[in-house]
Amino acid sequence: SHGLRISAKGQDDGLPEWRVRPNYSAMCGRYTMVDPYKVREAMLRDFGVVIPSELPRYNVAPSQLVPIIRSDDSGGLAAENMRWGLIPFWDKSEKPKIAPINARSEDAFSKPMFRQSLQQRRALFPCDGFFEWQAHEIGPKTPFHIRMSSAAPFVIAGIYEVATTVRPEATCALLTTAPNELMEPIHRRMPVILGPETARRWVRPGPMTQDEMAAFCRPFPAMEMVACRISTLVNNVRNDGPEVLGEID
């Protein structure tokens, strides 16, 4: 599994019944764009693109449309909305059975599902934070919101598949890596976060070696990040307001 499972009867997390649902044992199934103007400003400054996002999003979830940055045909960068959940290029069905929201960076280089996208269609997920759930021996998991200490926007490395006649939208997945010191007590995985210069190299067209891939996918420095414990409101995607980020002592 790569972070998704088919919907289970009786589960009410706010996602439509036919959509695939996040599995919280997988990594980074939700993220935020709390300040869309700040995110847009940072993406324009760092990548020269205007992302299609104007409303605050406190609980971005799988199967939703999300703004993605990719290289364009002229060698520059472009931004467009894509459906979060990568549908492999060989799947021509109208209702695909698998649409992973993330890919382990250690495996993506060799797995047929991700291999072609990784070599030809690399992308960036703009955001200003992500969620992770800490498991306990007993009781419900504890959600955390993780962001930069400076509250600055950032980008997560991803891959995408282009739109088809069956599916009018491109689809995408983000990459995960081993946790840094901040994330380790919370979860065994974290997203591949890239600084602006590294991110520009990531989306540059052209093949990539396994060593190059590994260099991109190192854990982001923990000293630049902060994690805040929040309520379980985030568990339901219908909750998409500032109350989702209410901190708990």
Side-chain angles (χ1 to χ4, degrees):
S1 165
H2 296 279
L4 289 180
R5 55 191 170 83
I6 301 301
S7 61
K9 294 268 186 193
Q11 181 185 10
D12 182 19
D13 53 12
L15 285 171
E17 193 59 33
W18 61 270
R19 292 287 195 198
V20 280
R21 285 172 156 73
N23 171 0
Y24 300 129
S25 66
M27 175 268 130
C28 197
R30 306 283 174 82
Y31 65 91
T32 58
M33 282 189 288
V34 173
D35 189 338
Y37 298 105
K38 202 170 173 183
V39 175
R40 279 163 67 96
E41 192 177 59
M43 298 306 113
L44 183 61
R45 179 194 67 224
D46 293 339
F47 307 109
V49 297
V50 177
I51 61 167
S53 183
E54 295 177 359
L55 296 173
R57 298 178 70 176
Y58 297 90
N59 198 357
V60 181
S63 84
Q64 294 178 353
L65 284 174
V66 296
I68 294 294
I69 297 171
R70 58 167 179 80
S71 60
D72 62 18
D73 297 335
S74 66
L77 295 177
E80 67 173 281
N81 281 325
M82 297 187 187
R83 189 72 64 185
W84 186 14
L86 188 90
I87 300 170
F89 64 90
W90 65 78
D91 191 329
K92 311 298 183 190
S93 60
E94 288 190 28
K95 290 188 178 179
K97 288 186 170 60
I98 187 163
I101 61 169
N102 59 49
R104 288 173 53 92
S105 59
E106 301 91 334
D107 304 336
F109 194 87
S110 56
K111 286 211 169 181
M113 174 168 287
F114 307 122
R115 194 167 51 204
Q116 192 190 90
S117 295
L118 182 66
Q119 293 297 341
Q120 300 177 16
R121 294 178 292 279
R122 295 185 291 273
L124 304 169
F125 283 68
C127 61
D128 52 21
F130 64 93
F131 297 106
E132 200 46 82
W133 283 258
Q134 182 184 48
H136 309 286
E137 286 192 22
I138 54 170
K141 294 180 180 181
T142 303
F144 284 81
H145 183 238
I146 300 101
R147 57 175 175 81
M148 295 297 139
S149 310
S150 63
F154 57 95
V155 291
I156 297 170
I159 53 180
Y160 72 98
E161 289 286 357
V162 297
T164 67
T165 50
V166 178
R167 282 179 291 278
E169 300 145 347
T171 60
C172 56
L174 55 80
L175 292 180
T176 72
T177 188
N180 61 22
E181 299 87 344
L182 175 75
M183 287 298 301
E184 203 164 10
I186 300 172
H187 202 274
R188 63 184 183 276
R189 304 294 294 170
M190 69 177 290
V192 173
I193 298 170
L194 303 176
E197 187 181 332
T198 312
R200 286 192 290 271
R201 293 204 311 273
W202 171 259
V203 289
R204 193 176 293 158
M208 182 176 289
T209 66
Q210 196 153 9
D211 286 346
E212 287 170 334
M213 171 82 177
F216 276 112
C217 296
R218 296 190 184 108
F220 196 79
M223 66 187 73
E224 296 181 38
M225 302 174 70
V226 63
C228 303
R229 186 182 169 194
I230 58 170
S231 82
T232 54
L233 283 173
V234 68
N235 292 5
N236 191 318
V237 299
R238 290 195 190 100
N239 299 324
D240 191 17
E243 64 279 1
V244 167
L245 297 182
E247 294 181 19
I248 294 176
D249 295 332

